[in-house]
Amino acid sequence: MKVSILQMNVRFGEPDANIDRMERMLAEQMDREAPDAFVLPELWTTGFYPKPLADYADRAGERTCELLSGLAQKYRVNLVGGSVITSEKDKFHNQCFIFDRGGNRIASYCKTHLFSPAKEEKAFAAGDSPCVFSLDGVRCGMAICYDIRFPEFIRQLALQDISILFVSAAWPVQRTAHWQTLLCARAIENQMFVAAANAAGVQPTMQCAGHSMLIDPWGEVLAEAGDEEICLSAEMDLSILQGIRSKINVFADRRPELYSD
């Protein structure tokens, strides 16, 4: 499966400009090499995160879903839609929507681990449901940014036999080394591919690190961006998974009876 990441220079609080930029980057990449799946960063329409949220929220994700569904159908490509600010009644979520090649919404995920140092939990409601879905018959899981610091959460996705973990993030430049290390660790310990899309550029609240990554189950980096806006791609050879998991069978050797709180 060929996966492309749109590492966007997200303009803070300018959803129309960001949507226009995403559409142009997507079209240009499809003209170049037509991947099987695209991944967008966290809060790619607004940045992380403008206030008041009510001025930027997409009610029930309606605008986002209409846009992404249309693009997935137009280009016949799977689309892991990063995340956007959504509203439902009096609650706001940091939410991802996922579409197949036919433009069908096949999954959604609300970020479950909210970043308390930025008081994200004061603004957003946390999700409470992990997200597993299939793209072209390949089982995949979804995480957003801070989620990757919780290995027990990612392991629960891995135990559902996923082959690819998609990650969307707005990760800051001062913790770039954490980003790189955690992503490789999640790939190695769970013997799966990781496709991680980070934002780029300077926002009022942070400077985003970029360094989007595509990683194989050995922890080998297939492709890594710098800090500039770019479309990053790599081929994921899913045929290697069975050999890796049989050679070092960490799932068979687990002792979950020792891991409870």
Side-chain angles (χ1 to χ4, degrees):
M1 176 180 282
K2 178 173 280 188
V3 176
S4 287
I5 290 169
L6 298 189
Q7 180 170 290
M8 295 174 55
N9 190 342
V10 177
R11 296 171 62 172
F12 191 78
E14 298 186 41
D16 290 341
N18 290 320
I19 288 170
D20 179 67
R21 183 62 183 144
M22 183 276 289
E23 290 188 87
R24 285 189 285 120
M25 289 182 71
L26 184 70
E28 289 166 3
Q29 185 66 5
M30 289 302 300
D31 285 343
R32 280 195 295 266
E33 57 181 333
D36 298 300
F38 275 101
V39 195
L40 303 179
E42 179 185 18
L43 297 184
W44 63 271
T45 60
T46 59
F48 187 89
Y49 50 91
K51 302 173 185 178
L53 290 183
D55 291 350
Y56 299 92
D58 182 2
R59 186 173 62 85
E62 292 173 356
R63 181 188 184 190
T64 303
C65 287
E66 182 179 5
L67 170 69
L68 297 183
S69 174
L71 291 171
Q73 186 174 33
K74 176 181 178 180
Y75 294 111
R76 305 299 297 175
V77 69
N78 299 297
L79 194 48
V80 179
S83 73
V84 298
I85 301 168
T86 63
S87 61
E88 184 179 357
K89 298 181 180 178
D90 59 344
K91 292 183 178 180
F92 299 97
H93 289 99
N94 185 338
Q95 187 167 10
C96 174
F97 300 100
I98 298 146
F99 296 84
D100 67 14
R101 295 179 186 269
N104 303 298
R105 182 175 132 185
I106 58 171
S108 68
Y109 169 66
C110 293
K111 186 177 182 180
T112 56
H113 299 92
L114 302 179
F115 191 56
S116 57
K119 296 182 169 54
E120 190 179 7
E121 82 285 0
K122 304 291 186 183
F124 294 91
D128 55 11
S129 299
C131 181
V132 173
F133 55 95
S134 292
L135 297 179
D136 296 346
V138 178
R139 284 180 67 79
C140 307
M142 186 69 208
I144 298 177
C145 204
Y146 194 38
D147 285 335
I148 67 169
R149 287 189 180 272
F150 298 87
E152 62 272 41
F153 176 71
I154 306 301
R155 174 52 58 89
Q156 288 304 312
L157 295 174
L159 288 172
Q160 296 184 62
D161 197 30
I162 67 172
S163 298
I164 304 173
L165 175 69
F166 289 101
V167 181
S168 294
W171 198 279
V173 69
Q174 64 265 36
R175 291 188 289 278
T176 303
H178 293 193
W179 165 256
Q180 294 163 315
T181 301
L182 289 166
L183 290 172
C184 287
R186 299 296 86 88
I188 294 166
E189 69 197 5
N190 294 298
Q191 299 179 324
M192 62 190 179
F193 288 90
V194 172
N198 197 24
V202 179
Q203 302 178 18
T205 55
M206 71 166 87
Q207 180 178 346
C208 293
H211 286 273
S212 296
M213 301 176 75
L214 293 149
I215 306 165
D216 80 4
W218 287 120
E220 296 293 329
V221 177
L222 303 175
E224 181 176 359
D227 60 4
E228 74 285 355
E229 183 174 78
I230 193 173
C231 190
L232 185 73
S233 299
E235 186 75 41
M236 294 183 168
D237 181 4
L238 299 171
S239 68
I240 70 173
L241 280 168
Q242 185 174 355
I244 290 171
R245 292 173 178 177
S246 61
K247 187 174 182 179
I248 306 176
N249 198 333
V250 295
F251 292 97
D253 295 337
R254 292 175 66 246
R255 297 192 57 196
E257 71 276 10
L258 304 179
Y259 309 152
S260 59
D261 292 337

